[in-house]
Amino acid sequence: MAGSRAAIRYAKAVLSLATDHKKADSVNNDMKLMANTINENIELAKMLNNAVVKSEDKKAVLLAVFPKLNKISTDLFDVLISNKRVDILYDIAIHYSILFDTLKGKEVAKVTTAIPMTEALEAKVLTKVKELTNKEIVLENIVDENILGGFILRVGD
């Protein structure tokens, strides 16, 4: 729980800094790349969470894995390493993207169905959700075969 709150604070600070420097879009792309890479690479995630691995080694690995990041993103590595919080990098990246979408007026709507939605059904759901929220909506279809019928729609919390 404390790690999540800290991740939100770091994400807010990075978003504020990126917005001030007019680099929020670029940093958002970096955060998505970091989140996807850490999520897909178990060894990288374990290394970041391993207390035995030296901070300098973690930084070297991060800079090698992410060589073309924005300066704000690479500066985040330094801050996290000096504060011994590099283990929450994945959470920070996820929260940054959520905060960025909120800032831009975007919202992710998760639609859980028993089978994948057709394009026609997706368009109908998207239209209805836009009416309800008055925001730009991105649909994410989750297939759960345990659902007997209908769908589950989740927008925000």
Side-chain angles (χ1 to χ4, degrees):
M1 181 75 146
S4 179
R5 283 189 286 191
I8 292 169
R9 286 188 196 119
Y10 278 105
K12 284 180 180 179
V14 172
L15 180 60
S16 177
L17 182 65
T19 303
D20 290 348
H21 287 89
K22 299 185 182 356
K23 304 254 186 206
D25 289 324
S26 173
V27 173
N28 187 47
N29 292 335
D30 292 349
M31 293 296 169
K32 286 182 179 180
L33 174 66
M34 283 188 269
N36 289 334
T37 304
I38 293 169
N39 189 40
E40 293 172 0
N41 191 327
I42 296 169
E43 291 82 22
L44 179 60
K46 285 181 181 178
M47 186 273 307
L48 291 174
N49 290 314
N50 191 335
V52 176
V53 178
K54 293 181 182 176
S55 295
E56 302 86 39
D57 295 338
K58 289 180 183 181
K59 181 179 178 183
V61 168
L62 287 171
L63 292 175
V65 172
F66 305 110
K68 296 182 180 181
L69 295 182
N70 188 300
K71 181 167 176 14
I72 294 171
S73 301
T74 55
D75 287 348
L76 175 63
F77 297 158
D78 293 329
V79 171
L80 293 176
I81 286 171
S82 67
N83 293 335
K84 299 186 185 333
R85 299 307 300 260
V86 75
D87 58 316
I88 63 171
L89 178 61
Y90 173 77
D91 292 333
I92 294 169
I94 295 294
H95 288 297
Y96 180 94
S97 292
I98 293 168
L99 292 170
F100 179 79
D101 287 345
T102 302
L103 180 70
K104 294 294 181 182
K106 293 182 185 176
E107 185 122 21
V108 176
K110 295 182 180 182
V111 182
T112 307
T113 57
I115 58 173
M117 291 193 308
T118 63
E119 287 186 25
L121 180 59
E122 196 170 305
K124 285 181 183 179
V125 171
L126 188 59
T127 303
K128 189 63 176 174
V129 174
K130 282 183 179 180
E131 286 177 17
L132 296 171
T133 63
N134 294 325
K135 291 183 179 183
E136 184 179 337
I137 299 294
V138 177
L139 280 184
E140 179 182 322
N141 186 210
I142 301 167
V143 178
D144 182 0
E145 296 172 357
N146 295 325
I147 294 177
L148 298 177
F151 62 90
I152 301 169
L153 176 64
R154 183 176 191 137
V155 181
D157 285 342

